[in-house]
Amino acid sequence: MNYISTRDTDIRVTSSKAIAEGISSEGGLFVPESIPAVSPDEIKKMSEMDYIGRAENILGKYLTDFTAEELNKCVKGAYENAFSSRKVAPVITVKDNIHILELFKGPTCAFKDLALQILPRLLTVAGGKVAKGTEIVILVATSGDTGKAALEGFRDVENTRILVFYPSDGVSPMQKLQMCTQEGNNVAVSAINGNFDDAQNGVKRIFTDKAIAEKLRENGMAFSSANSINWGRLAPQIVYYFSAYCDLIADGKINCGDKINIVVPTGNFGNILAAYYAREMGLPVAKLICASNRNSVLTDFLTTGTYDRNRKFYTTISPSMDILISSNLERLLYSLAGSEKVREWMAELSKEGRYTVDGDTLAKIKEIFAAGWCDDDETKAAISELFREEGYLCDTHTGVAVRVYEKYRQETGDIAPTVIASTASPFKFSAAVLEAVEGKKSGLDEFDMVERLAEVTGLECPAPLAGLKSKKVRFDSCCEVSGMDNVVLDMLKIKRD
Ligand SMILES: *Cc1c(COP(=O)(O)O)cnc(C)c1O
């Protein structure tokens, strides 16, 4: 299986190269040149396997230049011990036909662990094939969840280093503490004096700086990227949609072949795109339901065909979905309309900040996707109701998905079995979740809120979050945006000019 660029189908690379390079040189994203099929018989067989077996089977179809042994090592290393559930991504039934896929059992308690526990392993194998002996340097700009998940994934992975920049006032106290106490011999973290965009632009500038690249080369190093445009992050996410379906079969909740709906709280369109690929591969899915918060750019796009980022940006209680540019959407557009159209629309997006797809493409989108959004009050109401009525506590991002799904079900009358992706532990966003449950703001500090939430819900705070309180802060520096280059060079022990 080869990979081509969404903007130039003459560019054709192996899966190792697609993963090692992250993004295609002309700005397009790597996509598989064809979608491998999975038959109902195969799904039935997978329902008798554990998560590791399912992951090996699905990933093996995409990463064809990895040997079975290499893949087995990557998958086992990622999923055998690092997750607090033996099932890795367990499915919980909250009411008839409504199932929650819990994607937060990893070391950082958010769904990004599912991809970032395996990406470093895939990257080291891929790097060994493409550029043997080179040390891979990962730079990340983060608004919270990605940085921590990447740090945990890359810590002490041979032949890699990782450096994370975060906006000093742009992450939650819990997220900040998660990053500043990070352990590992190949990691570093720095705050920057600026917002998330400043951090991201700074990282992009360093990535494309020829002089810095040359310095790295002289020292046997090269930059690579761990963000969600890397195919090595997307492919592992396809696995858990198959796994959820297999669990529903194994538990007698559905019969193999029954169609389900999947609801995904969406930001960068990565998680839901993985569900789309699963559907294209043959997973019996009727509708993919895309849930947004008040930054409803995707709801508008999927319902009208016009993508318009010229709009107000809102800060919400589901911060990991506060995004106006959903990079991974480009892969869906390629799949539905081809590279010529993608080039046209992406050029319009960068020039005007908006584009409108043609009628055929919109019709295809509407056949596959439903979409909706809700605001913070509705999100809190959804969390509160689900807890009161079914005894299930969800986080704010999942709360958005729950509310959007309720509206969908009422409007359409569609009561097919449905899987809702749950993307974070409620304890990671204790302030808003506690407010939802108690009906008022608590005024407590972060760890007292965690304790209070455990008390009123009878649930236990996940160990990786509870343990933060006693951890030593290792990284407390803050740099100017203009000083980010030097922070990178110092971390790599490369001489400054
Ligand atoms: C990153 C994230 C999302 C959004 O996922 P995308 O793949 O960017 O759509 C949703 N919820 C949580 C908790 C996240 O960390």
Side-chain angles (χ1 to χ4, degrees), residues 117-286:
Q117 280 296 308
I118 192 168
L119 176 71
R121 297 164 205 277
L122 298 176
L123 204 52
T124 347
V125 175
K129 293 179 193 287
V130 176
K132 208 170 167 46
T134 305
E135 192 173 13
I136 298 166
V137 179
I138 303 290
L139 290 188
V140 182
T142 186
S143 55
D145 283 347
T146 304
K148 177 60 185 179
L151 285 163
E152 270 303 317
F154 280 93
R155 76 185 253 195
D156 296 328
V157 173
E158 244 175 85
N159 262 332
T160 69
R161 310 262 201 120
I162 175 162
L163 175 52
V164 171
F165 291 101
Y166 69 91
S168 63
D169 295 322
V171 300
S172 79
M174 187 66 100
Q175 289 174 323
K176 186 168 176 167
L177 201 57
Q178 275 191 310
M179 289 189 279
C180 294
T181 56
Q182 179 64 44
E183 291 164 0
N185 291 320
N186 61 338
V187 306
V189 176
S190 175
I192 64 139
N193 220 336
N195 60 24
F196 173 64
D197 281 338
D198 296 326
Q200 182 141 38
N201 289 336
V203 162
K204 273 193 192 146
R205 185 173 46 75
I206 296 169
F207 258 127
T208 50
D209 186 314
K210 293 223 166 68
I212 297 183
E214 183 53 37
K215 278 199 174 120
L216 259 67
R217 206 171 312 123
E218 287 164 6
N219 286 275
M221 303 172 183
F223 285 132
S224 188
S225 149
N227 69 20
S228 72
I229 54 181
N230 194 318
W231 180 255
R233 256 186 83 173
L234 207 50
Q237 297 184 324
I238 300 171
V239 175
Y240 50 71
Y241 291 110
F242 277 96
S243 181
Y245 192 89
C246 289
D247 278 351
L248 290 176
I249 298 175
D251 294 346
K253 303 270 165 73
I254 58 170
N255 293 312
C256 188
D258 289 354
K259 288 211 168 177
I260 61 166
N261 294 321
I262 297 177
V263 192
V264 185
T266 303
N268 208 2
F269 209 75
N271 203 1
I272 195 167
L273 183 70
Y276 168 79
Y277 281 121
R279 187 182 186 274
E280 291 299 292
M281 289 169 77
L283 189 68
V285 176

Side-chain angles (χ1 to χ4, degrees), residues 109-112 145-146 228 233 237 264-272 298 320-321 323 328 395 397-398 423-424 428-429:
C109 306
F111 94 94
K112 292 183 175 70
D145 283 347
T146 304
S228 72
R233 256 186 83 173
Q237 297 184 324
V264 185
T266 303
N268 208 2
F269 209 75
N271 203 1
I272 195 167
L298 282 169
S320 301
M321 292 153 64
I323 285 176
N328 261 309
D395 95 298
H397 303 77
T398 311
T423 50
K428 208 167 176 182
F429 300 92

